[in-house]
Amino acid sequence: MLVVAAAPGRAPDADTTERTLAGPQREAAVTLLVGRVLKEGHEAGGGRCAVRMFRPGLCSGWQEQRVLATARGVGSVLKEPALYEGDAARAAREQVLPTDAGGPLEIALADSGRLTDVTVQDGHGRHLAGELGPRSERWLNTEPLRAGETYTVQVGAQDAGGTPVGVTMAFRTAPPADGGRLTAEFGPGPGTYGAGEIVTASLSRPVPADDLPARARLEQALQVTSEPHVEGAWHWVDDSTLHYRPRTYWPAHTVVRVRSGLDGVELGDHYGGPSDDVQFTIADRIEAVTDSATHRMTVRRNGRIIRTIPVTTGKAGFRTRSGIKVVLRKEPKVRMRGDTVGIQPGTKEFYDLPVLYATRVTWSGEYIHAAPWSVEAQGEENVSHGCTGMSTEDAAWFFDTVREGDIVEVVNSGGAKMAPFDNGFGDWNMDWRTWLAGSALADVAGDPHGSPLSPSRLHPTT
């Protein structure tokens, strides 16, 4: 299961004349202990496994190999895997099984010397994080292996005399169980969106809040990058949904890429599976701010006012929600009925109207739309049932100007605050500190909006 090949080391001196005259020289070499867990043994084990602590029954399925690292970068297996549990028949059967992705991987020195460098890389070029011990005698992975992967391990060390040695090893991990893979479906789809667009990840299986390590590993695997780079973070909406947003709105013309590295990652009771990546673009930054007290909407493009529109918003008893919303969709014609928002037919406030140029901002039915029946009130008073009404001409212009993801804010309405998640994209109403608190990486890394991953290549200090 462990293949050993050449690895970079210090080549022998070109001039070997003096060595030949002085007699044969002992080749510099260091013996490494490589410890890992076989697939079928890990679940039964109850103790912490570590090299130099092999005891029958302590670590179920734990096995050790001794590998020689030399100055020429050539290695050899000095000792075949030995299982420290079960009878001979079971040991022979388990010896051919792949490594358990949920178990530890440890590399240590069997004799004098020091580890200088350990690099573990999977078949996709991803590095596995790990750390060297304080005396540079052992290395242990600090993030889980991925299931169904082949890993290449490069080890650099020094023998007791300080001569560099090295070796390369390879092993594979067992595939995840069929039917147990967790995937993510990203939103929005490919296209062009406004500066307030929210990235969403819908999981095929829930990850409970009390499994913080699994949530943290999942967040680390869901990668959002952008050009230009912006500060951003994931936030858990519920056990199966995450939202990602920058600290502030996306800059105009940003290219956003969302990638999943979940495939093979251990996530509690399941492993991650393949998910489709997404790329989208941000258009000009359009912001529409409605002041219900002045009955005016001010529309800006990239910070410059491009139109001021007389409007009417919700009257007493039907006040328009305050706060920041995001355009969800545009509907050229909508039939609006009062009973969809709790107004019963036959009452004074009931309505049943065909409405043109309707720009939706909440799922419960708040729109910005043409309201030719209230033109006299627009710019003067609030007479609607919660929507923002304007003339047909202005509504057509607004409809043609905005796109999904554009920012719509309402101030001084006296209405309830827009909720962050349950009625559209109210994510921007949450301050940044609170947003970060919804990331599982907050406790893991201390800096969730930075890079949560440990270095994959570590050098001891001298």
Side-chain angles (χ1 to χ4, degrees), residues 328-329 360-366 421-425:
L328 301 176
R329 66 175 57 161
R360 182 187 282 269
V361 293
T362 74
W363 295 123
S364 63
E366 184 180 327
F421 304 121
D422 62 0
N423 196 15
F425 290 136

PDB file of all heavy atoms in Angstrom, residues 328-329 360-366 421-425:
ATOM      1  N   LEU A 328     -34.820  40.613  -6.667  1.00  0.00           N
ATOM      2  CA  LEU A 328     -34.913  39.164  -6.801  1.00  0.00           C
ATOM      3  C   LEU A 328     -35.236  38.733  -8.224  1.00  0.00           C
ATOM      4  O   LEU A 328     -34.694  37.751  -8.724  1.00  0.00           O
ATOM      5  CB  LEU A 328     -35.976  38.614  -5.847  1.00  0.00           C
ATOM      6  CG  LEU A 328     -35.755  38.888  -4.358  1.00  0.00           C
ATOM      7  CD1 LEU A 328     -36.943  38.380  -3.547  1.00  0.00           C
ATOM      8  CD2 LEU A 328     -34.469  38.240  -3.873  1.00  0.00           C
ATOM      9  N   ARG A 329     -36.140  39.459  -8.857  1.00  0.00           N
ATOM     10  CA  ARG A 329     -36.496  39.162 -10.247  1.00  0.00           C
ATOM     11  C   ARG A 329     -37.312  40.320 -10.804  1.00  0.00           C
ATOM     12  O   ARG A 329     -37.789  41.176 -10.060  1.00  0.00           O
ATOM     13  CB  ARG A 329     -37.284  37.861 -10.367  1.00  0.00           C
ATOM     14  CG  ARG A 329     -38.659  37.899  -9.719  1.00  0.00           C
ATOM     15  CD  ARG A 329     -39.446  36.617  -9.969  1.00  0.00           C
ATOM     16  NE  ARG A 329     -38.752  35.424  -9.521  1.00  0.00           N
ATOM     17  CZ  ARG A 329     -39.363  34.275  -9.308  1.00  0.00           C
ATOM     18  NH1 ARG A 329     -40.663  34.151  -9.537  1.00  0.00           N
ATOM     19  NH2 ARG A 329     -38.698  33.221  -8.882  1.00  0.00           N
ATOM     20  N   ARG A 360     -39.489  42.722  -8.225  1.00  0.00           N
ATOM     21  CA  ARG A 360     -39.713  42.076  -6.918  1.00  0.00           C
ATOM     22  C   ARG A 360     -38.492  42.247  -6.015  1.00  0.00           C
ATOM     23  O   ARG A 360     -37.352  42.015  -6.429  1.00  0.00           O
ATOM     24  CB  ARG A 360     -40.014  40.592  -7.117  1.00  0.00           C
ATOM     25  CG  ARG A 360     -40.304  39.843  -5.813  1.00  0.00           C
ATOM     26  CD  ARG A 360     -40.430  38.342  -6.042  1.00  0.00           C
ATOM     27  NE  ARG A 360     -41.708  37.952  -6.614  1.00  0.00           N
ATOM     28  CZ  ARG A 360     -42.775  37.607  -5.899  1.00  0.00           C
ATOM     29  NH1 ARG A 360     -42.710  37.639  -4.570  1.00  0.00           N
ATOM     30  NH2 ARG A 360     -43.884  37.250  -6.487  1.00  0.00           N
ATOM     31  N   VAL A 361     -38.744  42.563  -4.716  1.00  0.00           N
ATOM     32  CA  VAL A 361     -37.658  42.690  -3.740  1.00  0.00           C
ATOM     33  C   VAL A 361     -37.867  41.822  -2.502  1.00  0.00           C
ATOM     34  O   VAL A 361     -36.955  41.703  -1.680  1.00  0.00           O
ATOM     35  CB  VAL A 361     -37.437  44.170  -3.326  1.00  0.00           C
ATOM     36  CG1 VAL A 361     -36.909  44.987  -4.503  1.00  0.00           C
ATOM     37  CG2 VAL A 361     -38.717  44.775  -2.765  1.00  0.00           C
ATOM     38  N   THR A 362     -39.059  41.231  -2.331  1.00  0.00           N
ATOM     39  CA  THR A 362     -39.274  40.239  -1.274  1.00  0.00           C
ATOM     40  C   THR A 362     -40.123  39.116  -1.846  1.00  0.00           C
ATOM     41  O   THR A 362     -40.905  39.312  -2.784  1.00  0.00           O
ATOM     42  CB  THR A 362     -39.993  40.807  -0.031  1.00  0.00           C
ATOM     43  OG1 THR A 362     -41.381  41.016  -0.333  1.00  0.00           O
ATOM     44  CG2 THR A 362     -39.353  42.085   0.473  1.00  0.00           C
ATOM     45  N   TRP A 363     -39.992  37.923  -1.242  1.00  0.00           N
ATOM     46  CA  TRP A 363     -40.802  36.807  -1.702  1.00  0.00           C
ATOM     47  C   TRP A 363     -42.248  36.933  -1.253  1.00  0.00           C
ATOM     48  O   TRP A 363     -43.143  36.318  -1.844  1.00  0.00           O
ATOM     49  CB  TRP A 363     -40.215  35.495  -1.194  1.00  0.00           C
ATOM     50  CG  TRP A 363     -38.860  35.185  -1.752  1.00  0.00           C
ATOM     51  CD1 TRP A 363     -37.711  34.953  -1.061  1.00  0.00           C
ATOM     52  CD2 TRP A 363     -38.509  35.100  -3.138  1.00  0.00           C
ATOM     53  NE1 TRP A 363     -36.661  34.716  -1.916  1.00  0.00           N
ATOM     54  CE2 TRP A 363     -37.128  34.795  -3.206  1.00  0.00           C
ATOM     55  CE3 TRP A 363     -39.215  35.238  -4.331  1.00  0.00           C
ATOM     56  CZ2 TRP A 363     -36.438  34.637  -4.415  1.00  0.00           C
ATOM     57  CZ3 TRP A 363     -38.536  35.086  -5.533  1.00  0.00           C
ATOM     58  CH2 TRP A 363     -37.175  34.787  -5.570  1.00  0.00           C
ATOM     59  N   SER A 364     -42.499  37.724  -0.213  1.00  0.00           N
ATOM     60  CA  SER A 364     -43.872  37.874   0.278  1.00  0.00           C
ATOM     61  C   SER A 364     -44.702  38.821  -0.567  1.00  0.00           C
ATOM     62  O   SER A 364     -45.898  38.973  -0.321  1.00  0.00           O
ATOM     63  CB  SER A 364     -43.857  38.352   1.731  1.00  0.00           C
ATOM     64  OG  SER A 364     -43.261  39.633   1.834  1.00  0.00           O
ATOM     65  N   GLY A 365     -44.088  39.464  -1.555  1.00  0.00           N
ATOM     66  CA  GLY A 365     -44.891  40.244  -2.494  1.00  0.00           C
ATOM     67  C   GLY A 365     -44.627  41.734  -2.517  1.00  0.00           C
ATOM     68  O   GLY A 365     -45.463  42.489  -3.031  1.00  0.00           O
ATOM     69  N   GLU A 366     -43.494  42.185  -2.019  1.00  0.00           N
ATOM     70  CA  GLU A 366     -43.176  43.615  -2.122  1.00  0.00           C
ATOM     71  C   GLU A 366     -42.477  43.872  -3.449  1.00  0.00           C
ATOM     72  O   GLU A 366     -41.481  43.234  -3.776  1.00  0.00           O
ATOM     73  CB  GLU A 366     -42.286  44.050  -0.960  1.00  0.00           C
ATOM     74  CG  GLU A 366     -42.000  45.553  -0.979  1.00  0.00           C
ATOM     75  CD  GLU A 366     -41.117  46.000   0.179  1.00  0.00           C
ATOM     76  OE1 GLU A 366     -41.216  45.414   1.277  1.00  0.00           O
ATOM     77  OE2 GLU A 366     -40.303  46.923  -0.039  1.00  0.00           O
ATOM     78  N   PHE A 421     -32.857  36.728   6.183  1.00  0.00           N
ATOM     79  CA  PHE A 421     -32.843  35.534   5.358  1.00  0.00           C
ATOM     80  C   PHE A 421     -34.202  34.987   4.918  1.00  0.00           C
ATOM     81  O   PHE A 421     -34.261  34.256   3.941  1.00  0.00           O
ATOM     82  CB  PHE A 421     -32.114  34.403   6.099  1.00  0.00           C
ATOM     83  CG  PHE A 421     -30.729  34.765   6.530  1.00  0.00           C
ATOM     84  CD1 PHE A 421     -30.382  34.726   7.864  1.00  0.00           C
ATOM     85  CD2 PHE A 421     -29.769  35.162   5.609  1.00  0.00           C
ATOM     86  CE1 PHE A 421     -29.096  35.058   8.273  1.00  0.00           C
ATOM     87  CE2 PHE A 421     -28.477  35.493   6.003  1.00  0.00           C
ATOM     88  CZ  PHE A 421     -28.146  35.445   7.342  1.00  0.00           C
ATOM     89  N   ASP A 422     -35.282  35.275   5.622  1.00  0.00           N
ATOM     90  CA  ASP A 422     -36.502  34.500   5.377  1.00  0.00           C
ATOM     91  C   ASP A 422     -37.463  35.123   4.373  1.00  0.00           C
ATOM     92  O   ASP A 422     -38.549  34.594   4.152  1.00  0.00           O
ATOM     93  CB  ASP A 422     -37.238  34.247   6.700  1.00  0.00           C
ATOM     94  CG  ASP A 422     -37.698  35.526   7.384  1.00  0.00           C
ATOM     95  OD1 ASP A 422     -37.441  36.623   6.829  1.00  0.00           O
ATOM     96  OD2 ASP A 422     -38.294  35.435   8.469  1.00  0.00           O
ATOM     97  N   ASN A 423     -37.075  36.233   3.714  1.00  0.00           N
ATOM     98  CA  ASN A 423     -38.012  36.881   2.804  1.00  0.00           C
ATOM     99  C   ASN A 423     -37.290  37.532   1.633  1.00  0.00           C
ATOM    100  O   ASN A 423     -37.650  38.610   1.195  1.00  0.00           O
ATOM    101  CB  ASN A 423     -38.844  37.924   3.564  1.00  0.00           C
ATOM    102  CG  ASN A 423     -40.091  38.348   2.798  1.00  0.00           C
ATOM    103  OD1 ASN A 423     -40.501  37.686   1.843  1.00  0.00           O
ATOM    104  ND2 ASN A 423     -40.689  39.446   3.199  1.00  0.00           N
ATOM    105  N   GLY A 424     -36.253  36.855   1.144  1.00  0.00           N
ATOM    106  CA  GLY A 424     -35.425  37.446   0.103  1.00  0.00           C
ATOM    107  C   GLY A 424     -34.004  37.570   0.616  1.00  0.00           C
ATOM    108  O   GLY A 424     -33.580  36.856   1.528  1.00  0.00           O
ATOM    109  N   PHE A 425     -33.248  38.489   0.036  1.00  0.00           N
ATOM    110  CA  PHE A 425     -31.867  38.708   0.452  1.00  0.00           C
ATOM    111  C   PHE A 425     -31.776  39.980   1.291  1.00  0.00           C
ATOM    112  O   PHE A 425     -31.530  41.064   0.769  1.00  0.00           O
ATOM    113  CB  PHE A 425     -30.950  38.796  -0.763  1.00  0.00           C
ATOM    114  CG  PHE A 425     -30.777  37.489  -1.483  1.00  0.00           C
ATOM    115  CD1 PHE A 425     -30.826  37.429  -2.863  1.00  0.00           C
ATOM    116  CD2 PHE A 425     -30.573  36.312  -0.768  1.00  0.00           C
ATOM    117  CE1 PHE A 425     -30.663  36.225  -3.529  1.00  0.00           C
ATOM    118  CE2 PHE A 425     -30.415  35.103  -1.418  1.00  0.00           C
ATOM    119  CZ  PHE A 425     -30.461  35.054  -2.808  1.00  0.00           C
TER     120      PHE A 425
END
